[in-house]
Amino acid sequence: METMDASQVFRPIEPSDRNRLLQLLHKAFRAAAEEYSFSRESNPRHGSFITREDLDGLIERGLEMHGLFEDGGLIGCVGIREGDSRELFHIEKLAVLPEKRYRGFGRAMMRRAITDIAERGGRAISIGIIDKNEKLKHWYRNLGFVEYERTEPKNLPFAVCLMRLDIT
């Protein structure tokens, strides 16, 4: 466990944390679901609708979830997944509770994730975001990510912008 400040701890999500993680994801991604008119039917795996079974499945298939805890409460999370090559990793499910946003928690969690990936020999990180979300693209650009592809997956009701950060 690593402390971010006196009242905050960043650590891997334990099985006993998963219900809190699910609640965090639902709450943190709700605004995006509303903004882009997602429904459980149109985008069932979106963070705002993800089920416990889907979350458990993602973790069982290699998504490592880490949480930011403040005074014992879960306020943020980030998922790390190793890609097909050991040099490429993916970031997924980065989330901060709405009432805790704009305080640098997302940036701090990303810095921890980047450091962890670099220590494991990762040379690049990929993320996928809603292509229309210019504010989020700008946020990731400020972290050093660059856009490299736009795709329109058949299983999603939106185009996806893929961004990459080289960390070598």
Side-chain angles (χ1 to χ4, degrees), residues 57-75:
L58 289 171
I59 293 169
E60 288 167 15
R61 290 187 302 278
L63 183 63
E64 302 169 21
M65 292 300 301
H66 300 265
L68 177 59
F69 295 80
E70 183 176 63
D71 297 323
L74 182 61
I75 65 166

Side-chain angles (χ1 to χ4, degrees), residues 33-52:
E34 291 172 359
E35 180 177 351
Y36 297 105
S37 300
F38 297 154
S39 67
R40 187 176 303 280
E41 293 73 31
S42 71
N43 195 357
R45 290 207 169 88
H46 186 261
S48 58
F49 307 115
I50 191 168
T51 65
R52 174 66 190 259

Side-chain angles (χ1 to χ4, degrees), residues 97-111:
L97 286 175
E99 64 270 22
K100 297 290 185 174
R101 291 183 182 156
Y102 307 106
R103 299 181 194 177
F105 297 137
R107 179 178 298 277
M109 287 188 296
M110 281 299 296
R111 286 188 177 142

Side-chain angles (χ1 to χ4, degrees), residues 100-137:
K100 297 290 185 174
R101 291 183 182 156
Y102 307 106
R103 299 181 194 177
F105 297 137
R107 179 178 298 277
M109 287 188 296
M110 281 299 296
R111 286 188 177 142
R112 292 289 176 91
I114 292 165
T115 298
D116 180 57
I117 290 167
E119 288 172 354
R120 294 198 235 172
R123 300 174 59 109
I125 300 169
S126 176
I127 59 164
I129 63 171
I130 298 169
D131 188 56
K132 290 182 182 178
N133 193 335
E134 293 298 326
K135 186 175 180 181
L136 190 57
K137 281 184 195 178

Side-chain angles (χ1 to χ4, degrees), residues 2-17:
E2 297 183 45
T3 302
M4 298 183 93
D5 76 21
S7 66
Q8 298 163 344
V9 175
F10 185 71
R11 66 167 173 79
I13 293 289
E14 303 289 338
S16 61
D17 298 320

